[in-house]
Amino acid sequence: MARTDDNRRDRERTDARLDSPKGMRTRVLPTRRRGRGDTFGRATEGIARAMGTPWFLVGLTLFCVVWMGYNTLAPRAWQFDSAAIGFTALTLVLSLQASYAAPLILLAQNRQDDRDRVQFEQDRQRAERNLADTEYLAREVVALRLAMRDMASKDFIRAEIRSLLEELDRRDAEDAGFADEPGTTARG
């Protein structure tokens, strides 16, 4: 029983590491806690991403303009935030929004940093593999060049054929001269 708990804890520790790609981690049965954390992390990234858009700024500006316009132009009995005291409720709402926005943005940045760290590690491993492949190919090219030096070049083959042809011509000339002598045969 204790050994099973130790194995499970080891697998959970390995699975929780962020320095290895998701597909390379060992899988354990998914837990609700892990799913919620991931959902929360995705939600914080979505909120942070939405807060960084021009549409969020336009929407927030319109919200503030409508708030101030309503509390300035509406009958006094319907107003809920007085312009005379500087729109205190609006200030509190914007402060609350900012107090939640900052940690959500930091959480999203931390998740991005974790992804960047994993991506950096994968890029480094890929670069190492590429370097090893390049070095291997360079060694192979050098071996081929050395083997090519041992092979006969076109010029060498041409020179050998010329010398063989010259030697054949010389032998033919000798044979022809020997055949011209009376009482002998061409090759004898």
Side-chain angles (χ1 to χ4, degrees):
M1 179 77 172
R3 184 162 172 86
T4 307
D5 290 338
D6 290 342
N7 288 342
R8 190 184 63 213
R9 263 188 254 121
D10 288 343
R11 276 184 271 150
E12 286 174 356
R13 262 190 237 122
T14 305
D15 199 36
R17 293 185 58 167
L18 295 174
D19 62 345
S20 62
K22 201 169 192 177
M24 300 299 284
R25 295 184 222 156
T26 56
R27 282 288 205 193
V28 215
L29 292 175
T31 61
R32 287 213 178 267
R33 197 178 100 210
R34 185 170 150 206
R36 284 186 197 147
D38 197 40
T39 303
F40 182 73
R42 277 189 259 123
T44 59
E45 285 181 339
I47 292 169
R49 200 172 294 120
M51 285 183 177
T53 62
W55 295 112
F56 176 77
L57 293 175
V58 168
L60 188 62
T61 303
L62 288 176
F63 173 78
C64 292
V65 167
V66 168
W67 182 294
M68 289 188 288
Y70 178 82
N71 287 302
T72 303
L73 303 174
R76 181 98 69 206
W78 292 356
Q79 292 179 1
F80 54 88
D81 193 14
S82 173
I85 56 173
F87 299 109
T88 307
L90 177 62
T91 304
L92 289 174
V93 168
L94 292 176
S95 295
L96 182 66
Q97 181 267 335
S99 68
Y100 275 97
L104 289 175
I105 291 170
L106 288 174
L107 285 171
Q109 285 178 342
N110 288 342
R111 285 177 52 92
Q112 184 62 44
D113 289 344
D114 292 340
R115 277 195 302 272
D116 290 345
R117 192 176 306 113
V118 170
Q119 183 65 40
F120 176 74
E121 181 62 25
Q122 289 174 346
D123 289 346
R124 187 187 62 75
Q125 290 172 354
R126 190 175 305 117
E128 286 177 357
R129 283 192 306 268
N130 287 343
L131 180 62
D133 290 346
T134 303
E135 288 174 350
Y136 171 76
L137 291 174
R139 286 191 302 271
E140 288 297 311
V141 167
V142 167
L144 286 173
R145 284 183 177 167
L146 290 173
M148 290 294 290
R149 283 188 190 153
D150 293 340
M151 292 178 62
S153 66
K154 286 191 277 184
D155 294 334
F156 175 76
I157 292 172
R158 285 183 185 142
E160 288 295 312
I161 290 174
R162 277 192 204 110
S163 67
L164 288 173
L165 286 174
E166 288 171 1
E167 185 178 334
L168 286 174
D169 287 343
R170 185 179 48 79
R171 283 186 185 175
D172 284 344
E174 285 176 3
D175 288 344
F178 187 69
D180 288 343
E181 292 179 14
T184 59
T185 58
R187 290 245 175 201

